[in-house]
Amino acid sequence: VSTQSTGLQSYMETTYGIFIENIRVKSLSIHDPNLAKKISEPAVVYAQTQAALANVKSQTEIQTAEAHREATAKKINADAEAYSKIKEAESRCQTIEMNTVAETNKIVGIANANAKAKLIEAKAEKERLELEGEGQRMFASQVEKSELGRELAMGNIQSRTLQGVQKVVYAPSSALPSIVFANINSNTSAS
């Protein structure tokens, strides 16, 4: 005990006139059973309370640790599931994108092939018309230069003139100054 004055030192000095500098207690026992019971009961209750508090604190820490472990496990599972769903969605998007690109390329290919086919068809038609025109021009040029051409032209004119005519009378060219065409009805007779 320090040299500082304590309650026991003050009591002994004022009551008995003895100054206690140092005191050592080897064992302490209470000989009055009632007093011992009164002193020990609160100590036992205090010890039980402290033990119960320690037990409750320990249980709380265990429950907190278990709750934390469960929450961590749930978070890990949720993160893994979310990651899996994200990857699955990305995969579906990639598949859709690839299918869309393939379909677009297919449509563009078909459109290009159709455009090329139409271009080839138009060129062929142009060449056919040019060749046909060239052939007709050459034929007309050759016909124009020949006697047959003049007779063919005259035959075309006569054919167009006689459309719708039911009967035709021909007279020899020596008798008339030119060929006479007539539309004779079925009621009229020729002389």
Side-chain angles (χ1 to χ4, degrees):
V1 179
S2 67
T3 57
Q4 205 173 27
S5 176
T6 63
L8 179 60
Q9 284 176 328
S10 297
Y11 173 75
M12 291 300 284
E13 192 174 352
T14 54
T15 308
Y16 300 108
I18 301 172
F19 178 75
I20 299 175
E21 189 171 311
N22 192 355
I23 188 167
R24 292 180 189 187
V25 178
K26 191 171 190 180
S27 74
L28 180 64
S29 63
I30 302 172
H31 293 290
D32 183 2
N34 286 334
L35 180 60
K37 186 177 178 186
K38 285 183 181 178
I39 291 173
S40 67
E41 280 179 1
V44 169
V45 169
Y46 178 78
Q48 287 174 343
T49 303
Q50 290 302 315
L53 283 174
N55 191 21
V56 168
K57 183 179 178 185
S58 167
Q59 289 296 326
T60 302
E61 288 175 356
I62 289 170
Q63 288 175 348
T64 302
E66 285 178 357
H68 181 68
R69 181 188 57 78
E70 287 176 10
T72 302
K74 285 180 182 177
K75 184 180 182 316
I76 289 170
N77 288 340
D79 288 347
E81 188 175 337
Y83 180 78
S84 172
K85 287 184 179 181
I86 288 170
K87 287 301 177 186
E88 184 180 325
E90 285 176 352
S91 175
R92 279 195 309 254
C93 286
Q94 226 172 15
T95 301
I96 290 169
E97 183 179 352
M98 286 171 36
N99 289 343
T100 303
V101 167
E103 188 64 26
T104 302
N105 288 343
K106 179 181 170 185
I107 291 170
V108 167
I110 290 170
N112 284 340
N114 287 342
K116 285 180 183 177
K118 286 186 180 187
L119 183 63
I120 290 170
E121 189 178 300
K123 284 181 181 178
E125 179 66 14
K126 177 186 172 196
E127 286 179 19
R128 183 189 69 77
L129 290 174
E130 286 175 353
L131 288 174
E132 187 177 305
E134 181 65 25
Q136 287 178 358
R137 187 184 62 76
M138 287 174 63
F139 178 74
S141 173
Q142 289 175 357
V143 167
E144 182 180 299
K145 294 178 184 174
S146 71
E147 181 62 30
L148 175 65
R150 194 175 73 71
E151 289 179 17
L152 278 175
M154 190 63 147
N156 280 338
I157 292 171
Q158 289 175 356
S159 169
R160 279 185 273 164
T161 306
L162 292 176
Q163 282 181 346
V165 174
Q166 294 177 0
K167 291 186 181 179
V168 177
V169 175
Y170 288 97
S173 58
S174 61
L176 297 172
S178 63
I179 298 175
V180 177
F181 299 98
N183 184 1
I184 303 172
N185 292 330
S186 56
N187 295 335
T188 311
S189 57
S191 43

